[in-house]
């Protein structure tokens, strides 16, 4: 008999609407799993049991009193919120001891959209301090662990979100991505992760756009769930610096996920350019396997050089580091408490202080020039295929044993592919198509045109039908 946590979110929503499944029963099922199992995984920093049950009871009243056509799309569906985003009246730590007792005064715009869509908030998922790293280890809570092997990291910075979904502690999760933070944990946890187009989802009202690197996005077990989440999360506020174009051809993202993509022209590359960063043989095998699958499905696949290397002229990594340090320095911290920050954030903030305004502006200009050139160079392709990461999952503590400069170097070696598309602002997904001989998931990354989430969802859904992955679950799934 299928248990509630084995159902995709779109199925849970349908069963709620048809009155076959109680929102309270759903919430209680996931809260029970969190109580019993989350000590293994460290997925949650804060569990909002009272809020979740209150929302579930209100959802149940709506099911009884409203007609099905009047019910919101996520009514009764549990959705945890990453602890970088605010939920009114709930503690938000931003992964930092400095904020360990901070309570959010209001929802972020995106959280408000999820609330309006009927989502039930189970709690706040673990994240590294200020989302600065590709692992989820901080001073606030125990590290998040990969459900496929709890000695391994689930990635970051949305590691708690991915651990929750992979372990069946939530059907879907809200996450965010400023340098790969949706796609990285999706890849190592065997999930589907979507980073939307820049400007698709507002960071407001409290978070600044800065350089437009970061955006919210969903981590899910199915492509259709991601489309459902994206429809609910999309929002814009007056004063946003960026606004994404509507989906080509109109309709919802769910509509696109249910369409055949047609024959697409796909570019592919797997080299890391002048960085000299090696790509693990299992990742190479996954890349070649995805290429074969695309060809079998009738798509045209063309080899290209690493587009970042081609158009940024070897300056990309240095220029991106300027931006990453600047953004890390923007989180307000009382100077008297800066010593409480993690070593990597102290190091990034000090690096930002040493950077002059002309240096930062020159780096920003070079990245924008490169973005224009990259978008022009790849405009003839519907999607670009690359590995998501350079290697499979790594152990807890892999990044942090050698000091912050070494930590940053190791993070760069682990994630040489993802941040490029935060700089360009293009939509990008990690698709869980491959498992290594050791049974570890390895994602393949597909990146689309600006505003092209619809095409990526259509293509990803086609890949999911051809190579289903939902039956693959980690140890502990049946507990």
């Amino acid at each position: 008999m299928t248990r509630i946590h084995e159902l995709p979110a779109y199925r849970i929503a349908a069963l709620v609407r048809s009155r076959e499944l109680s929102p309270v029963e759903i919430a209680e099922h996931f809260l029970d799993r969190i109580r019993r199992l989350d000590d293994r995984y460290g997925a949650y920093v804060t569990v909002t049991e009272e809020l979740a049950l209150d929302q579930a009871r209100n959802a149940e009243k709506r099911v009884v009193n409203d007609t099905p056509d009047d019910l919101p799309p996520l009514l009764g569906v549990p959705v945890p919120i990453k602890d970088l985003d605010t939920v009114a009246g709930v503690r938000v730590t931003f992964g930092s001891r400095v904020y360990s007792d901070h309570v959010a005064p209001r929802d972020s715009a995106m959280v408000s959209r999820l609330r309006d869509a009927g989502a039930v908030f189970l709690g706040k998922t673990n994240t590294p301090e200020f989302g600065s790293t590709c692992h989820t280890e901080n001073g606030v809570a125990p590290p998040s662990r990969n459900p496929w092997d709890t000695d391994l990291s689930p990635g970051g910075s949305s590691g708690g979100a991915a651990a929750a979904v992979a372990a069946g502690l939530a059907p879907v999760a809200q996450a965010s991505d400023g340098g790969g933070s949706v796609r990285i944990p999706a890849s190592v946890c065997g999930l589907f992760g979507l980073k939307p187009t820049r400007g698709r989802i507002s960071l407001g009202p409290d978070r600044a756009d800065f350089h437009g690197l970061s955006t919210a996005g969903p981590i899910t077990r199915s492509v259709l769930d991601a489309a459902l989440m994206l429809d609910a999360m999309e929002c814009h506020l007056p004063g946003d610096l960026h606004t994404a174009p509507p989906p080509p051809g109109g309709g919802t993202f769910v509509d696109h996920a249910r369409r055949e993509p047609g024959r697409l022209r796909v570019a592919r590359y797997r080299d890391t350019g002048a960085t000299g960063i090696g790509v693990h043989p299992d990742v190479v095998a996954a890349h070649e396997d995805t290429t074969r699958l695309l060809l079998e499905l009738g798509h045209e696949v063309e080899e290209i050089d690493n587009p970042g290397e081609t158009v940024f002229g070897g300056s990309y990594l240095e220029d991106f580091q300027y931006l990453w340090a600047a953004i890390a320095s923007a989180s307000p911290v009382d100077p008297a408490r800066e010593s409480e920050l993690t070593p990597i954030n102290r190091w990034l903030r000090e690096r930002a202080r040493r950077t002059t305004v002309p240096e930062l502006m020159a780096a920003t200009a070079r990245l924008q020039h490169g973005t224009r050139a990259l978008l022009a160079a790849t405009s003839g392709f519907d999607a670009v295929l690359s590995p998501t990461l350079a290697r499979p999952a790594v152990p807890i503590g892999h990044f942090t044993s050698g000091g912050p400069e070494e930590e940053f170097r190791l993070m760069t070696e682990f994630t040489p592919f993802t941040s490029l598309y935060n700089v360009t602002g293009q939509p990008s997904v990690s698709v869980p198509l491959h498992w290594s001989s050791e049974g570890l998931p390895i994602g393949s990354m597909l990146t689309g045109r600006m505003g092209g989430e619809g095409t990526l969802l259509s293509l990803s859904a086609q890949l999911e039908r051809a190579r289903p992955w939902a039956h693959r679950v980690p140890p502990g799934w049946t507990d």
Side-chain angles (χ1 to χ4, degrees), residues 130-308:
F130 308 140
S132 297
T133 64
C134 66
H135 57 86
T136 304
E137 300 161 45
N138 58 42
V140 173
S144 292
R145 295 180 177 274
N146 193 320
W148 292 90
D149 181 341
T150 54
D151 289 334
L152 303 179
S153 171
S157 62
S158 305
V165 177
L169 308 184
V172 293
Q174 177 269 332
S176 59
D177 191 318
S181 293
V182 164
R183 292 158 291 159
I184 294 164
S187 179
V188 297
C189 291
L191 301 170
F192 183 74
L194 167 62
K195 181 196 85 68
T197 298
R198 176 181 293 144
R200 179 71 66 202
I201 299 171
S202 177
L203 295 176
D206 297 319
R207 292 173 64 187
D209 291 326
F210 293 120
H211 304 281
L213 295 183
S214 186
T215 178
I219 290 180
T220 65
R221 292 179 58 227
S222 78
V223 175
L224 189 58
D225 279 358
L228 184 67
M229 284 281 286
L230 186 57
D231 280 326
M233 295 166 72
E234 183 175 15
C235 58
H236 310 99
L237 290 182
D240 288 346
L241 296 183
H242 310 281
T243 301
T252 66
F253 290 113
V254 165
D255 293 334
H256 282 272
R258 287 174 167 152
R259 294 176 189 167
E260 288 293 332
R263 187 170 190 266
L264 302 179
R265 188 166 181 241
V266 181
R268 76 162 207 158
Y269 69 98
R270 63 173 173 86
D271 67 285
T272 61
T275 65
I277 296 170
V279 179
H280 192 280
D282 286 344
V283 174
V284 173
H287 182 71
E288 297 302 324
D289 188 45
T290 301
T291 300
R292 286 191 295 272
L293 181 57
L294 288 167
L295 290 169
E296 289 169 8
L297 292 170
H299 302 295
E300 178 185 350
V301 181
E302 180 179 329
E303 190 81 28
I304 63 170
D305 293 329
N306 181 317

Side-chain angles (χ1 to χ4, degrees), residues 7 19 22 27 93 109 138 150 153 170 188 210-212 281 313 364 400 442 462-463 468:
L7 297 169
R19 304 181 183 178
S22 155
T93 72
N138 58 42
T150 54
S153 171
V188 297
F210 293 120
H211 304 281
T364 303
T400 56
I442 298 174
Q462 183 188 49
L463 293 168

Side-chain angles (χ1 to χ4, degrees), residues 157 176-184 194-199 209-217 242 312 316 320 323-324 327 367 371 374 388 415-428 445 447 450:
S157 62
S176 59
D177 191 318
S181 293
V182 164
R183 292 158 291 159
I184 294 164
L194 167 62
K195 181 196 85 68
T197 298
R198 176 181 293 144
D209 291 326
F210 293 120
H211 304 281
L213 295 183
S214 186
T215 178
H242 310 281
F312 286 98
Y316 171 77
F320 181 80
L323 265 63
W324 201 247
I327 292 169
L367 289 172
T371 294
L374 186 148
T388 306
T415 66
F417 298 102
T418 53
S419 66
L420 177 64
Y421 300 112
N422 296 87
V423 170
T424 66
Q426 294 166 262
S428 189
M445 190 164 71
T447 300
M450 294 293 283

